Amino acid sequence: MSEGAGEFGRRLRRGRETAGYSLADLAKRIHFSKGHVSKVENGLARPSRDFAEACDAVLGAAGALSELARVAAPSPGGGISGLPMATPHFTGRHGELVLIGTALAQATATGCSVLTGMAGVGKTALAVRAAWNAEQDFPDGCLFFDLHGAEVSSAEALDRVLRTLGVPGADIPPDQDGRANLYRDRLRGKRMLLVFDNVRSTEQVAPLLPAEPRCRVIITSRNRLNALDDAAHVPIAELSTAESVELFRSVVGERQRMPTEDEPVAEVVACCGGLPLAVRIAAARFRSSPTWTFEEFASRLAGEAARLNALDDGERSVAAAFALSYQRLPEQLRRLFGLLALHPGRDIATHSAAALAGVGVGEAERLLDQLADAHLIMPRPGGYWQFHDLVRMFATEHALSEVPSADRDTAVRRLLTLALSRARACDELLAPQRFRPTPVPGVEPLSAEEGFPEWDTALSWLDLEWPNLVAMCRMAAARGEHERCWRLAFLLRDFFFRTKLWDPWIETHRHAAASARAIGDTTAVAMTVNNLGMAYADRGDLGLARDHYQQALALFREAGDDNGTTSALSNLAWVNLYLGEHEAALRDMKVALESYRRTGSARNAAITLRGIALTEVELGAFTDALRHAERAHEDFRGSDLDLAMSLNCVAWVHFRADRHAEAAAHYEQAAELGERGRSPFEVARAKTGLGNLAAVAGRPEEAADLWAQATRLHNGLNPVTVGEAAARRRLQG
């Protein structure tokens, strides 16, 4: 190494230490690996022009380091340097650069680094930057070849590489094996770095991998190239919001029209989904349109319908980049890719993908893996798959349009049928005694293999899947699948009651009510409106709850549905309880109780007994209240949630009757059952009750701790509907 390189390293170290940077700090700021910075400082690697200029800028060396780099540069006659220019707007990727730099520098490295990721994620820019970082370590040359996906065969690529290495065309063998042998021979004893960009498959690139252990290869691909077992695989993800903002500002350059704050810029780059290509195009369009204000540009980009069109600057296009990946898919994968765009949720379960495609789950998983290998979807934990937002837009606009309309409708119907079957199976486990309408014709029960072995498994599935099921209700209503819409909402009610997910409960039932009206099913409208009233009551919106219960009561009477009439009457009685109209509440609950007992509705009777007990507490009839609360507890069977609710009711009666020891014992049991039944709400209610008891007993620290536990478990205990929450408010002053 020349004396100039040694002097550069000494000067660099002094500047870095004066600035207070560690090796890692400087490496991150100049976008080179820590190992390369260390080599340059110790005179073991020559500084490139880009390296020197970056150090000048970060350390404020006013060009001194660039001049030293010029002196340290090797004399003409070295290896070929064919790397393309590195972009001056390169942003982020410090961790990836370290991984690649380490793989290139290690003597025991496999010799090959594979950078994979979706179209537009910046694989090529990263490969070029990593190659420039390591250029000085490869004195025999650094070469770059774009294989253009499938457009360049292995034989054609070998021909290009051999000519670049100085082999006359007449000496290049006509067959691929002959070219590969000559290629390996020409690299024997050399230390070269080769970058192969846009590789389609392992088969395409395998003949281009040198046998010389001192040579290194960087590969970029939209496919995972899983068969390159010995390679160092570096997955390339999207940029963070902060990195995207930095890139956008760097490309725009001119600051006059740019906001000084990062927040509005972050909103713009969020539309780009962290894809460097999209960020660059957006920034270039804004920079080249001087009449736009930043707010006008942000508004143009925010509209999803035209976003892909907005991300096209005339020379580069996000949609065109995706199209290359899509067009390379076989027909079966193209069809699945388009059908997946029909799924209304963000996370797509393998079972749902199978339903959309009309194939078995095993076949769907195989196809989904192939789409993920092509970086057109992303695998998620728990057997789910996800689109990047911009890829979903592309799939909707370009791939779905290739699927015939009739096939799309059939796929949606299969998806909704699956959702109904699974939701019904879950509801039967969570609320086995609940009334359920007969299934839609064609919606078959799940087989033993497809179903859920126990209620806990069903609840876990709903915890994951409910956002998708809400979106399916919305989709069913919009597509005129009204029967499926209202029935799916009906089957979700008990889950939403258990989890206190009031907003999705209300949204699904609003869609369901409109769908039931659209098909003229009065009973379905009544049941849906009644359930909607329950959501409002549970949330504490008593005026809205009363309005919906009264509508449901009139509709049930119109339909001649005696059970429904009793249900609406009972629900109105609960509203009267919460509103303080205790005599009316007690009267109507007793009427409902007689009706439930007459029709054999044991669970509804027990729930009504609990309501009677709570009403009697407010009337001061503690003996009757305790008798009814304990009877309600005795009548519940099988559901830990129902048992926890009844024990909390018994505990509340004891608390109000000043029997504190009995209240504490029942609250403890209720908390245990609530935990077992996975009901944070009932556990929080029990903890609140125990905190109230501690406060009354003069133990304020214990009370505060129990109340804090309750708040952490569920911050939605409403003093209007939960007696323990009202008591806590009074005790806290």
Side-chain angles (χ1 to χ4, degrees):
M1 198 65 70
S2 69
E3 178 56 31
E7 176 57 30
F8 183 97
R10 290 188 288 273
R11 179 68 176 271
L12 175 61
R13 182 183 288 110
R14 287 197 301 270
R16 174 177 63 78
E17 291 173 347
T18 300
Y21 294 145
S22 67
L23 278 170
D25 290 337
L26 180 59
K28 187 173 183 179
R29 283 168 171 78
I30 65 174
H31 303 298
F32 282 77
S33 71
K34 176 182 173 183
H36 185 67
V37 175
S38 176
K39 285 184 177 182
V40 172
E41 283 194 356
N42 291 294
L44 300 177
R46 294 187 182 93
S48 67
R49 182 187 63 187
D50 286 348
F51 181 93
E53 288 176 351
C55 291
D56 266 332
V58 171
L59 300 177
L65 290 171
S66 294
E67 178 59 23
L68 277 175
R70 186 186 64 78
V71 174
S75 58
I80 303 171
S81 182
L83 297 176
M85 181 180 69
T87 173
H89 306 301
F90 189 84
T91 303
R93 309 300 193 197
H94 177 70
E96 292 89 342
L97 284 170
V98 169
L99 288 173
I100 300 166
T102 301
L104 294 176
Q106 287 179 348
T108 57
T110 60
C112 179
S113 297
V114 180
L115 318 185
T116 58
M118 64 184 294
V121 82
K123 301 179 293 295
T124 300
L126 175 59
V128 170
R129 172 64 70 174
W132 275 112
N133 286 0
E135 182 201 22
Q136 299 300 326
D137 295 333
F138 296 94
D140 295 307
C142 297
L143 304 179
F144 180 93
F145 299 93
D146 187 349
L147 301 192
H148 298 286
E151 293 180 21
V152 179
S153 69
S154 302
E156 291 170 326
L158 284 166
D159 180 83
R160 288 165 52 183
V161 175
L162 287 169
R163 290 176 187 273
T164 305
L165 292 173
V167 178
D171 294 342
I172 296 177
D175 62 299
Q176 180 174 301
D177 286 343
R179 293 177 182 183
N181 280 303
L182 182 58
Y183 166 66
R184 289 190 287 267
D185 178 71
R186 284 301 177 110
L187 292 183
R188 190 68 178 167
K190 296 187 182 297
R191 185 170 180 82
M192 296 188 72
L193 173 61
L194 301 106
V195 180
F196 296 114
D197 193 34
N198 286 318
V199 171
R200 170 69 183 275
S201 65
T202 300
E203 181 182 10
Q204 181 190 31
V205 78
L208 300 168
L209 300 180
E212 170 56 54
R214 293 186 299 170
C215 289
R216 295 285 182 268
V217 173
I218 299 176
I219 293 169
T220 75
S221 180
R222 299 181 184 194
N223 299 314
R224 287 182 180 163
L225 306 188
N226 296 317
L228 290 177
D229 300 325
D230 296 330
H233 289 264
V234 183
I236 312 303
E238 301 91 317
L239 294 176
S240 68
T241 298
E243 291 167 340
S244 296
V245 168
E246 180 185 346
L247 177 59
F248 188 91
R249 288 189 180 280
S250 174
V251 174
V252 171
E254 195 235 313
R255 312 285 290 190
Q256 294 179 5
R257 293 184 295 143
M258 287 289 289
T260 56
E261 299 295 325
D262 280 346
E263 185 175 352
V265 184
E267 292 177 3
V268 165
V269 298
C271 297
C272 301
L275 288 186
L277 174 62
V279 175
R280 287 173 178 273
I281 291 173
R285 288 204 65 188
F286 177 63
R287 182 188 61 202
S288 61
S289 303
T291 61
W292 284 348
T293 65
F294 189 81
E295 291 73 19
E296 288 171 336
F297 176 72
S299 178
R300 285 173 178 263
L301 201 59
E304 288 192 8
R307 188 175 301 168
L308 285 178
N309 290 335
L311 294 174
D312 184 336
D313 63 7
E315 297 184 16
R316 297 168 297 179
S317 164
V318 171
F322 294 157
L324 287 175
S325 296
Y326 171 65
Q327 289 162 4
R328 294 170 183 169
L329 298 176
E331 177 59 33
Q332 189 178 23
L333 286 181
R334 288 163 64 107
R335 177 177 178 274
L336 175 59
F337 180 67
L339 289 173
L340 290 177
L342 288 168
H343 193 284
R346 182 168 180 78
D347 293 316
I348 306 172
T350 302
H351 280 81
S352 296
L356 284 167
V359 300
V361 173
E363 175 66 3
E365 190 163 17
R366 184 184 70 83
L367 296 173
L368 291 164
D369 277 331
Q370 292 181 35
L371 285 176
D373 283 345
H375 289 94
L376 286 169
I377 58 172
M378 300 171 284
R380 308 295 297 165
Y384 284 86
W385 310 82
Q386 192 179 96
F387 279 115
H388 183 281
D389 288 344
L390 293 177
V391 177
R392 175 184 277 278
M393 292 176 194
F394 173 84
T396 301
E397 293 179 22
H398 299 275
L400 184 57
S401 62
E402 294 186 4
V403 180
S405 177
D407 288 356
R408 284 180 252 163
D409 293 341
T410 301
V412 167
R413 202 164 290 114
R414 283 195 302 261
L415 178 65
L416 294 175
T417 297
L418 174 70
L420 278 169
S421 296
R422 295 179 78 82
R424 188 179 185 93
C426 289
D427 195 52
E428 288 171 349
L429 287 167
L430 296 179
Q433 298 178 20
R434 181 191 180 197
F435 164 78
R436 275 170 288 274
T438 57
V440 178
V443 178
E444 300 295 333
L446 296 179
S447 67
E449 295 77 17
E450 296 172 320
F452 304 96
E454 55 188 5
W455 74 269
D456 195 55
T457 310
L459 187 56
S460 295
W461 181 78
L462 284 169
D463 283 337
L464 289 172
E465 192 69 12
W466 73 260
N468 287 332
L469 297 173
V470 171
M472 287 180 204
C473 271
R474 190 185 310 125
M475 177 178 70
R479 296 181 69 95
E481 294 286 348
H482 298 305
E483 192 79 31
R484 285 169 167 78
C485 175
W486 81 259
R487 288 173 182 272
L488 183 56
F490 183 94
L491 293 168
L492 292 174
R493 190 208 69 184
D494 265 38
F495 170 74
F496 288 144
F497 174 79
R498 174 188 290 269
T499 54
K500 307 304 176 187
L501 289 166
W502 295 306
D503 288 345
W505 183 353
I506 291 168
E507 181 192 349
T508 54
H509 281 66
R510 282 177 174 168
H511 290 305
S515 283
R517 290 189 180 98
I519 57 177
D521 189 333
T522 302
T523 301
V525 176
M527 288 190 293
T528 303
V529 170
N530 195 40
N531 288 340
L532 192 51
M534 290 179 63
Y536 287 122
D538 205 44
R539 194 171 71 175
D541 294 336
L542 299 181
L544 284 170
R546 172 175 275 177
D547 289 345
H548 283 80
Y549 287 149
Q550 288 173 341
Q551 292 177 44
L553 182 61
L555 288 165
F556 279 129
R557 285 172 173 166
E558 178 187 338
D561 187 332
D562 292 338
N563 287 333
T565 299
T566 301
S567 176
L569 185 67
S570 175
N571 288 337
L572 278 167
W574 280 86
V575 170
N576 287 333
L577 164 63
Y578 298 142
L579 290 172
E581 299 173 14
H582 300 132
E583 296 290 350
L586 187 59
R587 180 194 67 228
D588 290 342
M589 283 187 185
K590 286 182 176 180
V591 172
L593 178 63
E594 290 178 8
S595 177
Y596 285 138
R597 284 176 170 169
R598 188 169 57 250
T599 58
S601 302
R603 181 171 182 261
N604 287 337
I607 292 171
T608 306
L609 274 173
R610 192 172 71 230
I612 289 172
L614 293 173
T615 307
E616 288 169 337
V617 164
E618 299 306 318
L619 293 169
F622 298 122
T623 301
D624 288 342
L626 183 60
R627 176 167 53 86
H628 289 131
E630 289 178 337
R631 175 66 186 275
H633 177 60
E634 291 170 4
D635 288 350
F636 280 120
R637 293 289 183 271
S639 168
D640 288 334
L641 174 60
D642 281 334
L643 291 172
M645 294 174 73
S646 64
L647 282 170
N648 271 327
C649 177
V650 173
W652 175 246
V653 175
H654 282 304
F655 175 78
R656 288 291 301 274
D658 293 328
R659 293 189 285 267
H660 292 175
E662 292 88 343
H666 284 86
Y667 277 134
E668 292 284 1
Q669 292 178 55
E672 181 180 342
L673 279 169
E675 288 176 357
R676 201 165 73 193
R678 291 174 57 179
S679 174
F681 186 91
E682 291 303 319
V683 179
R685 183 179 170 190
K687 294 285 186 181
T688 301
L690 290 168
N692 296 342
L693 288 167
V696 169
R699 302 191 299 274
E701 291 183 1
E702 181 184 344
D705 179 61
L706 285 162
W707 287 334
Q709 290 180 44
T711 300
R712 286 194 297 271
L713 283 163
H714 200 291
N715 197 25
L717 299 188
N718 191 331
V720 175
T721 58
V722 180
E724 287 82 2
R728 171 182 170 178
R729 175 181 286 180
R730 291 193 296 270
L731 289 166
Q732 287 181 309

